[in-house]
């Protein structure tokens, strides 16, 4: 039987296990990336493991989430990250140089390689045929030290693209259509492999818009085969020699198939406040828009902003709408500026911003209360924009530009009829991506050779070995789809403490219950209870690290999002799955006790646990590999890795 493209790349990198769905496999990692929110912990853990140098072909540290310098904390963190990159041999991308995924795809992403990144949108270069997976920081630390990355072999689903996108429909509409059909849980446990004749009609950047937002489907990753479009893009970024042709075998078998006819697509929009609330733009037309933002790792490339510039050229944006363009990389800004497009956009009323994540995580450009903000981003979770009563819509750059001109949501096809000389801008790549590289420091140009820590950079908290008796209060009961943004909000006033776990922990779950952190510390142990898909969204490991610091010992949920589930193991918190009836029966404040000897049960491979809640007994499941059980028993991955190193005499 032939192989899928995913199987071919995994096979090339396989160090342990067999490529059978559900089996745990260990794969070699060629490249790692980390950003500034997750990076400080990555390097502190790397230091704690006593390693000298990164072992992967490429390690890259980006500064994109917290680039604004409100006081010394972000600057201290960036100085620490530069010093860590220099000390251990990683590339360092300075604050302002751009969003990790954009800079990585321009400089390092390559077909056939594996990439592990401590950011949930790491799958972006799947559009170039790289097998790229988002993970917790500690997983990245360990991979950077040369160890394999372990993952349960996902199902491989063929997403067969047919036809060709009509005018005004874009790559963003392809992934919004997928979200409309599959929901934010539809990709869980799956790798989405794009196939079919429609693939070759999409440029590599368009493919990367699709793979970027596969994360919103919950997919492990998404990947495209390579062809002339991939080669063409690599040549334009000056790395044509890294092209390799990668295709699935003709007789490859997939676990499932989804067919999307590109010719049927029309401009779509995700309405507040989930990326899968997708409807045709025409359904919400007429809604007035106070803010439009074009940018982010989904649609912040040169080729995403150029259509906006073309639509705005010689026109004026609406007086009622603030329009912001924030490119994904400084290279894109520089190229657009050299070609005169920045001036054109500014003349049309655009406020041009630095290349950063910024507004995507509520840092800057916070919308006014109870207003509509239209963004080309990938997430619109409630409150993520920096204000609780937000109304964030997600759409393509073309739909965003149409709204900027009209001051209200409008299908760009209708605007074309109203506006003289407005036509669909289409997709255009530059002859050459030729921005200067002054903000990307290679390991051999490193400025520092020792770690520099400011006063806000603390040590990594460690947890003791797993105990045998675990009991405590159900400290918080939550609904379905709780995101890591709910657990640790990513806004600047909170995440500036990312290197100071005791302080950051005070904000744990504060968006759900602002007394939680205090109650958890007082209780000195206890449980979280949640519905389906607990921990979806960003990969930030602080969402497990801070609850661990507060003494949380177990989470009882109906299901867990992949990266967060791994992070719970990595920080020694027991993730137990419960059924709906058990979930319904547990109330906040109930006393919960795991009846089994937890340490023995975890290490012996026991799957069913008896949980006593106010005297009644229920069954909860621990679905974990042998390695995950060992990590949990050791009190987390850092302790486990150190134990392993000691055992091997390293
Ligand atoms: Fe940054 Fe938002 Fe992407 S936080 S990495 S632009 S999802």
């Amino acid at each position: 039987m032939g192989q899928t493209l995913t199987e071919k790349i995994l096979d090339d990198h396989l160090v342990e296990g067999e490529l059978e769905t559900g089996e745990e496999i260990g794969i070699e990692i060629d490249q790692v990336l980390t950003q500034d929110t997750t990076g400080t912990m990555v390097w502190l853990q790397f230091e704690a493991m006593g390693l000298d140098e990164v072992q992967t072909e490429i390690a890259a540290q980006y500064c994109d989430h917290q680039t604004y310098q409100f006081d010394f904390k972000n600057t201290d963190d960036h100085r620490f990250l530069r010093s860590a990159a220099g000390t251990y041999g990683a590339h360092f991308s300075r604050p302002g140089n751009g969003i990790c995924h954009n800079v990585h795809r321009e400089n390092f992403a390559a077909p056939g390689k594996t990439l592990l990144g401590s950011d949930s949108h790491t799958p972006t270069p799947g559009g170039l045929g790289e097998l790229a997976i988002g993970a917790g920081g500690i997983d990245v630390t360990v991979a950077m030290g040369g160890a394999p990355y372990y993952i349960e072999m996902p199902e491989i689903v063929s997403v067969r693209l047919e036809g060709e996108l009509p005018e005004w429909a874009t790559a963003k509409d392809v992934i919004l259509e997928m979200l409309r059909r599959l929901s934010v849980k539809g990709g869980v446990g799956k790798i989405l492999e794009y196939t079919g004749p429609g693939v070759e009609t999409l440029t590599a950047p368009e493919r990367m818009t699709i793979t970027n937002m596969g994360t919103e489907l919950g997919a492990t990753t998404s990947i495209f085969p390579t062809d002339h479009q991939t080669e063409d893009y690599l040549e334009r970024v000056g790395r044509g020699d890294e092209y390799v042709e990668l295709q699935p075998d003709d007789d490859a078998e997939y676990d499932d198939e989804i067919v999307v006819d590109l010719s049927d697509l029309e401009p779509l929009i995700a309405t507040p406040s989930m990326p899968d609330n997708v409807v045709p733009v025409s359904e919400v037309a007429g809604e007035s828009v106070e803010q439009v933002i074009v940018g982010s790792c989904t649609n912040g490339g040169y080729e995403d902003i150029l259509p906006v510039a073309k639509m705005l050229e010689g026109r004026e944006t609406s007086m009622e709408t603030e329009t912001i363009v924030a490119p994904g990389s400084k290279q894109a800004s520089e190229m657009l500026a050299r070609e005169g497009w920045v001036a054109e956009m500014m003349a049309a009323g655009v406020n041009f911003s630095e290349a950063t994540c910024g507004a995507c995580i509520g840092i800057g450009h916070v919308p006014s209360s109870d207003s509509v903000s239209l963004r080309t981003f990938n997430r619109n979770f409630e409150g993520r924009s920096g204000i609780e009563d937000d109304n964030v819509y997600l759409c393509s750059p073309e739909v965003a530009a149409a709204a900027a001109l009209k001051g209200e949501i409008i299908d760009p096809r209708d605007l074309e009829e109203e506006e003289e000389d407005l036509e669909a801008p289409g997709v255009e790549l530059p002859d050459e991506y030729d921005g200067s590289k002054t903000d990307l420091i290679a390991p051999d140009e490193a400025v520092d050779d020792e770690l520099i820590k400011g006063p806000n950079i603390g040590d990594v908290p460690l947890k003791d070995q797993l105990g045998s008796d675990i009991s405590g209060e159900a400290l918080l009961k939550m609904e379905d789809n709780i995101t890591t943004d709910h657990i640790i909000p990513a806004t600047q006033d909170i995440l500036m403490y990312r290197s100071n776990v005791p302080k950051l922990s005070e904000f744990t779950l504060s968006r759900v219950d602002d007394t939680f952190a205090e109650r958890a510390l007082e209780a000195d142990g206890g449980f979280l209870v949640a519905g389906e898909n607990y921990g979806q969204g960003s990969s930030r490991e602080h969402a497990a690290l801070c609850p661990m610091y507060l003494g949380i010992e177990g989470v009882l949920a109906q299901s867990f999002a992949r990266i967060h589930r791994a992070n719970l193991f990595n920080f020694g918190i027991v993730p137990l799955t419960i059924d709906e009836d058990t979930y319904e029966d547990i109330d906040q404040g109930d006393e919960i006790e795991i009846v089994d000897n937890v340490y023995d049960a975890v290490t012996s491979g026991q799957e069913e646990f008896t949980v006593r809640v106010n005297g009644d007994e229920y069954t909860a499941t621990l679905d974990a590999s042998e390695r995950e059980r060992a990590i949990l028993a050791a009190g987390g991955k850092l302790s486990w890795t150190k134990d392993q190193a000691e055992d091997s005499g390293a």
Side-chain angles (χ1 to χ4, degrees):
M1 189 180 80
Q3 285 186 308
T4 64
L5 169 57
T6 306
E7 286 168 331
K8 288 184 181 185
I9 301 179
L10 286 174
D11 222 2
D12 262 0
H13 292 82
L14 197 68
V15 288
E16 216 174 305
E18 282 182 32
L19 300 182
E20 280 177 23
T21 313
E23 291 289 306
E24 189 175 72
I25 53 169
I27 53 169
E28 191 186 341
I29 296 298
D30 302 320
Q31 303 186 346
V32 296
L33 74 76
T34 178
Q35 33 90 336
D36 49 354
T37 299
T38 54
T40 47
M41 278 298 145
V42 166
W43 293 110
L44 288 168
Q45 286 158 349
F46 199 81
E47 182 194 19
M49 287 200 294
L51 300 165
D52 293 335
E53 205 181 348
V54 300
Q55 301 295 317
T56 46
E57 291 171 16
I58 299 282
Q61 171 64 58
Y62 299 96
C63 297
D64 51 1
H65 282 59
Q66 316 287 330
T67 58
Y68 298 119
Q69 292 142 0
F70 300 96
D71 65 7
F72 68 94
K73 297 187 196 70
N74 284 344
T75 23
D76 272 13
D77 271 1
H78 293 146
R79 185 177 59 183
F80 169 69
L81 294 172
R82 190 189 70 186
S83 74
T87 305
Y88 297 119
H91 294 262
F92 181 69
S93 174
R94 301 203 287 204
N97 191 39
I99 302 171
C100 52
H101 311 302
N102 297 65
V103 183
H104 199 84
R105 83 182 204 192
E106 287 164 358
N107 292 281
F108 303 117
K113 299 287 183 188
T114 52
L115 166 68
L116 195 72
S118 61
D119 188 277
S120 56
H121 291 94
T122 300
T124 306
L128 281 181
E130 179 161 30
L131 193 85
I133 301 176
I138 182 82
D139 288 316
V140 171
T141 309
V142 171
M144 204 154 65
Y149 174 62
Y150 290 89
I151 188 172
E152 216 173 84
M153 179 67 191
E155 285 181 17
I156 304 173
V157 176
S158 159
V159 183
R160 189 177 163 78
L161 301 181
E162 288 177 352
E164 195 166 348
L165 286 170
E167 275 194 350
W168 294 109
T170 67
K172 184 65 161 278
D173 301 308
V174 178
I175 193 66
L176 288 175
E177 169 68 8
M178 291 284 286
L179 279 152
R180 189 183 69 76
R181 290 200 207 172
L182 302 182
S183 90
V184 291
K185 291 185 288 185
V188 173
K190 295 173 184 161
I191 290 181
L192 305 176
E193 193 175 307
Y194 286 82
T195 61
V199 165
E200 66 164 1
T201 68
L202 299 171
T203 62
E206 287 176 288
R207 296 175 188 181
M208 287 189 271
T209 293
I210 296 169
T211 46
N212 170 281
M213 240 177 127
T215 298
E216 276 50 60
L217 291 161
T220 303
T221 190
S222 310
I223 192 164
F224 275 78
T226 64
D227 56 14
H228 67 279
Q229 297 275 18
T230 326
E231 188 170 17
D232 177 68
Y233 177 79
L234 285 169
E235 272 166 9
R236 288 172 202 254
V237 294
R239 296 189 290 118
D241 55 340
E242 293 178 37
Y243 176 71
V244 280
E245 188 170 327
L246 295 168
Q247 293 283 337
D249 289 329
D250 290 342
D251 56 346
E253 280 188 16
Y254 292 88
D255 293 298
D256 201 358
E257 184 179 73
I258 297 163
V259 179
V260 178
D261 190 340
L262 300 175
S263 347
D264 288 344
L265 294 182
E266 60 177 318
L268 297 171
I269 193 163
T271 64
S273 291
M274 271 292 157
D276 58 2
N277 288 341
V278 175
V279 297
V281 172
S282 51
E283 248 182 55
V284 284
E287 181 89 53
S288 56
V289 175
E290 279 197 22
Q291 184 189 57
V292 165
I293 313 185
V294 178
S296 88
C297 59
T298 313
N299 282 125
Y302 170 93
E303 51 301 307
D304 294 301
I305 297 169
L306 188 60
V308 175
K310 287 182 181 171
M311 286 173 70
L312 299 189
E313 187 183 12
R315 297 186 167 81
E316 280 180 17
T317 55
S318 161
M319 288 293 175
E320 277 107 78
T321 310
E322 184 200 15
T323 304
I324 299 136
V325 170
S329 71
K330 199 173 187 180
Q331 169 160 273
S333 302
E334 190 183 325
M335 289 162 59
L336 290 161
R338 284 187 196 283
E339 292 168 10
W341 291 112
V342 173
E344 287 296 343
M345 286 188 278
M346 284 178 160
V350 163
N351 179 3
F352 207 78
S353 181
E354 101 178 45
T356 172
C357 295
C360 180
I361 38 170
I363 298 177
H365 302 301
V366 175
S368 52
S369 52
D370 197 21
S371 67
V372 168
S373 174
L374 219 71
R375 300 170 168 209
T376 65
F377 302 175
N378 47 38
R379 288 185 174 146
N380 59 348
F381 301 146
E382 194 181 346
R384 184 174 165 95
S385 68
I387 183 165
E388 287 302 325
D389 61 345
D390 57 11
N391 294 293
V392 176
Y393 290 69
L394 307 173
C395 61
S396 67
E398 285 82 348
V399 171
L405 288 169
K406 184 77 177 172
E408 61 188 46
I409 299 177
I410 181 167
D411 186 321
R413 294 171 299 184
D414 294 335
L415 190 69
E416 186 182 11
E417 281 179 18
E418 284 178 21
E419 283 266 334
E420 215 181 308
D421 296 333
L422 182 74
E423 48 185 54
V427 183
E428 192 187 326
L429 269 52
D431 291 340
E432 197 186 344
Y433 288 78
D434 57 355
S436 28
K437 307 274 184 200
T438 43
D439 284 305
L440 192 59
I441 304 174
D444 60 6
E445 305 163 333
V447 205
D448 319 279
D449 57 7
E450 61 181 38
L451 298 180
I452 307 172
K453 293 183 189 171
N456 189 45
I457 298 178
D459 291 330
V460 188
L462 280 176
K463 189 174 186 292
D464 294 336
Q465 180 178 295
L466 186 67
S468 49
D469 300 318
I470 295 186
S471 60
E473 196 182 316
L475 288 161
L476 197 59
K477 181 172 178 183
M478 296 165 277
E479 56 216 26
D480 291 347
N481 295 324
I482 290 292
T483 69
T484 47
D485 280 335
H486 285 109
I487 307 173
I488 289 290
T491 48
Q492 165 58 25
D493 52 333
I494 296 178
L495 264 196
M496 66 183 173
Y497 296 112
R498 64 196 169 275
S499 315
N500 179 348
V501 175
K503 181 68 187 169
L504 184 65
S505 298
E506 292 174 16
F507 300 96
T508 310
L509 285 160
S510 56
R511 281 184 46 204
V512 184
D513 172 1
D514 58 13
T515 67
F516 172 75
E518 211 179 316
R519 291 191 295 109
L521 268 182
E522 254 172 44
D524 191 25
F527 291 86
L528 294 171
V529 180
E532 300 273 10
N533 201 20
Y534 178 68
Q536 67 157 330
S538 145
S539 70
R540 84 185 58 105
E541 63 188 349
H542 293 98
L545 181 55
C546 291
M548 174 201 103
Y549 178 80
L550 294 175
I552 296 301
E553 297 202 79
V555 181
L556 305 178
Q558 284 176 256
S559 65
F560 295 89
R562 181 185 66 85
I563 301 178
H564 188 63
R565 175 186 171 280
N567 280 335
L568 291 172
F569 281 100
N570 288 343
F571 291 97
I573 297 177
V574 187
L576 290 171
T577 311
I578 51 175
D579 62 20
E580 196 179 344
D581 291 344
T582 310
Y583 170 79
E584 294 299 340
D585 281 357
I586 304 177
D587 289 323
Q588 188 165 314
D590 282 352
E591 270 308 311
I592 299 181
E593 180 193 354
I594 301 179
V595 177
D596 311 76
N597 176 319
V598 183
Y599 184 88
D600 288 352
V602 166
T603 49
S604 68
Q606 189 175 312
E607 288 189 358
E608 298 207 333
F609 286 62
T610 304
V611 177
R612 194 175 290 141
V613 184
N614 288 344
D616 293 328
E617 292 194 349
Y618 300 87
T619 301
T621 311
L622 180 70
D623 177 14
S625 69
E626 207 177 304
R627 198 185 47 84
E628 286 171 329
R629 287 168 183 274
I631 289 171
L632 197 55
K637 196 160 191 179
L638 192 52
S639 308
W640 178 75
T641 309
K642 287 174 94 175
D643 292 350
Q644 297 267 100
E646 274 164 28
D647 289 351
S648 67

